[in-house]
Amino acid sequence: MTSHASRVLVLNSGSSSVKYQLLDMTDGTRLALGLVERIGEETSRLSHTPLVSGGAKREHEGPIADHEAALKTVATELAADGLGLDSPELAAIGHRVVHGGLKFTVPTVIDDAVLAEIERLVPVAPLHNPANITGIRTAQALRPDLPQVAVFDTAFHTTMPEYAARYAIDVATADAHRIRRYGFHGTSHAYVSRQTAALLGKDPAETNVIVLHLGNGASASAVAGGRCMDTSMGLTPLEGLVMGTRSGDIDPAVTFHLKRVAGMSADEIDVLLNKKSGLLGLCGDNDMREIRRRIEEGDERAQLAFDIYIHRLKKYIGAYTAVLGHVDAVAFTAGVGENAAPVREAAIAGLEELGLAVDAGLNAVRSDAPRLISPEYSRVAVAVVPTDEELEIAQQTYALVNA
Ligand code: AMP
């Protein structure tokens, strides 16, 4: 399908929120962005920022009953800026969909069969896929004529070899329940690994990168020549690194113990490991800025939480160096990775034998641009590469509808 319409609306629908960005794909400019929060409550909030003709941020509070009402409010805000969703300039809507299972390896134009398949994956993504489906249905109702594209968080990881994707459990049980490692944050890992190759002046097909996506959720990936070889998240986003509120790797027997000895239900254990663990569970704070502030004041609990976080990170850097054999770069991204110089310094400290080092001066520079923070002599480059999942979703969506 060819079209000269050049705008793409990117929607990231959560269970009670919708994040959106409108981009012009002739040059990737952002035209507007915003967030609707607490959908379904009395105190829903919309914050909308037009980025054209000097418009200022607008905020509204008041009940927004459901996703349909939320998207209609977004459409009204965009129309007020002359960016209405009825515009012939709008080429497509790109949806972030968390779980695409094994079936969706690339961005996909959504039809009834695709929607049914996303629905079939709800048992493996009970928190995320239902919200994504609601977002898609609502957008379809608003613009039934427009291509809607699903961009999957899992897609980039579908290149993982079987030996990295399978858990060592009974194959029949695993297959019956689709239990395997899927990985998440895929659009970020794809975008950042490519941007890192560009920063090195190399072809992504000839570059091996370890990407450390360290936000409130966190994951690492080993990318060889643009293909994911391993990633730290698994069946769900709970596996792997220590995160803001998730435990990451844990002996699965801890869960039986919590059930048998502590008398907790499966749902209670789920909440404990996903929402009350990680940095929050260890020290009461999940924001790295607050943890660093407490460490500066000599707080030992914050220091121990930080040390556990760094220890896990180092283990993954070592493991993925072994997985890749040859590493061109380690790239830090997302809220913590892009902003927390002490995390980058501590994670790389002592890894000289792996060819890794950080230059203190370069590491201290604050910037929004992709940059190297390793000294000249470092055999493996260490980089800070800001992620941009919305741009990646918009680019993939636009490329598909213009293919
Ligand atoms: P994200 O999920 O990528 O939006 O990352 C959010 C997290 O990034 C927050 O919870 C903080 O822990 C962290 N963060 C954001 N800004 C900073 C900063 N300036 N220094 C340290 N950590 C930061």
Side-chain angles (χ1 to χ4, degrees):
M1 190 178 124
T2 347
S3 128
H4 50 262
S6 62
R7 290 179 192 159
V8 172
L9 177 70
V10 175
L11 287 182
N12 182 352
S13 307
S15 56
S16 65
S17 69
V18 177
K19 270 191 239 163
Y20 61 94
Q21 287 196 8
L22 183 68
L23 295 97
D24 186 334
M25 298 318 292
T26 44
D27 55 4
T29 330
R30 252 158 270 254
L31 303 172
L33 55 83
L35 168 68
V36 189
E37 291 172 286
R38 301 202 287 267
I39 295 171
E41 293 178 32
E42 285 303 305
T43 56
S44 313
R45 266 194 57 197
L46 170 111
S47 121
H48 174 86
T49 310
L51 300 166
V52 283
S53 53
K57 182 171 175 171
R58 303 194 288 273
E59 301 194 51
H60 305 288
E61 207 170 306
I64 296 177
D66 51 25
H67 281 71
E68 190 181 341
L71 207 53
K72 283 192 173 145
T73 316
V74 170
T76 309
E77 291 297 325
L78 287 168
D81 300 321
L83 300 169
L85 296 187
D86 51 357
S87 164
E89 292 281 318
L90 190 61
I93 301 182
H95 296 266
R96 176 185 183 210
V97 179
V98 168
H99 215 307
L102 288 183
K103 186 141 186 161
F104 297 113
T105 59
V106 288
T108 306
V109 174
I110 301 166
D111 59 18
D112 289 347
V114 169
L115 207 49
E117 185 62 29
I118 297 171
E119 196 132 34
R120 217 173 65 79
L121 289 161
V122 165
V124 283
L127 298 178
H128 296 102
N129 275 27
N132 300 153
I133 293 165
T134 307
I136 292 168
R137 289 227 166 90
T138 310
Q140 281 177 329
L142 212 63
R143 279 297 304 267
D145 57 312
L146 206 63
Q148 313 260 342
V149 173
V151 178
F152 299 93
D153 255 22
T154 46
F156 183 64
H157 304 303
T158 54
T159 56
M160 266 197 289
E162 202 62 5
Y163 54 74
R166 280 213 176 252
Y167 293 110
I169 62 172
D170 173 65
V171 170
T173 308
D175 289 351
H177 300 285
R178 287 178 286 178
I179 297 168
R180 60 187 286 123
R181 309 188 56 257
Y182 294 98
F184 298 89
H185 291 144
T187 46
S188 179
H189 288 283
Y191 178 83
V192 170
S193 55
R194 257 196 348 263
Q195 292 289 113
T196 306
L199 180 68
L200 301 181
K202 297 182 72 154
D203 181 349
E206 287 168 5
T207 312
N208 288 1
V209 186
I210 296 173
V211 178
L212 303 172
H213 176 111
L214 311 177
N216 197 30
S219 62
S221 67
V223 183
R227 293 167 66 83
C228 179
M229 301 303 288
D230 204 350
T231 193
S232 60
M233 285 177 166
L235 173 73
T236 76
L238 183 55
E239 192 179 344
L241 300 173
V242 175
M243 313 184 206
T245 66
R246 296 190 193 117
S247 63
D249 293 337
I250 195 166
D251 180 345
V254 170
T255 57
F256 326 143
H257 189 83
L258 287 169
K259 190 160 190 314
R260 293 181 187 135
V261 179
M264 292 175 74
S265 69
D267 285 347
E268 285 169 339
I269 298 169
D270 194 331
V271 169
L272 176 79
L273 297 181
N274 273 295
K275 304 231 162 101
K276 297 183 181 171
S277 296
L279 293 169
L280 181 72
L282 287 167
C283 75
D285 274 306
N286 60 327
D287 191 313
M288 191 52 81
R289 284 163 287 203
E290 188 57 21
I291 292 169
R292 289 304 311 169
R293 194 192 59 71
R294 285 171 55 186
I295 290 171
E296 301 294 316
E297 289 175 354
D299 186 319
E300 287 178 12
R301 263 181 78 201
Q303 181 69 59
L304 180 59
F306 184 82
D307 293 346
I308 294 169
Y309 182 94
I310 296 296
H311 180 66
R312 185 82 51 85
L313 207 45
K314 273 190 184 238
K315 290 210 280 191
Y316 271 91
I317 295 170
Y320 286 176
T321 299
V323 165
L324 292 172
H326 168 82
V327 183
D328 294 292
V330 172
F332 286 89
T333 194
V336 176
E338 290 167 30
N339 295 298
V343 168
R344 300 191 296 255
E345 183 192 330
I348 300 298
L351 301 186
E352 292 81 7
E353 287 290 323
L354 299 183
L356 289 159
V358 161
D359 177 283
L362 293 174
N363 192 31
V365 174
R366 298 195 65 87
S367 158
D368 290 337
R371 58 201 185 274
L372 291 175
I373 57 166
S374 42
E376 289 275 330
Y377 65 80
S378 182
R379 190 157 44 79
V380 179
V382 182
V384 180
V385 179
T387 192
D388 194 337
E389 290 169 278
E390 288 77 15
L391 179 62
E392 178 72 17
I393 292 171
Q395 281 172 343
Q396 293 195 12
T397 299
Y398 194 62
L400 186 61
V401 298
N402 284 294

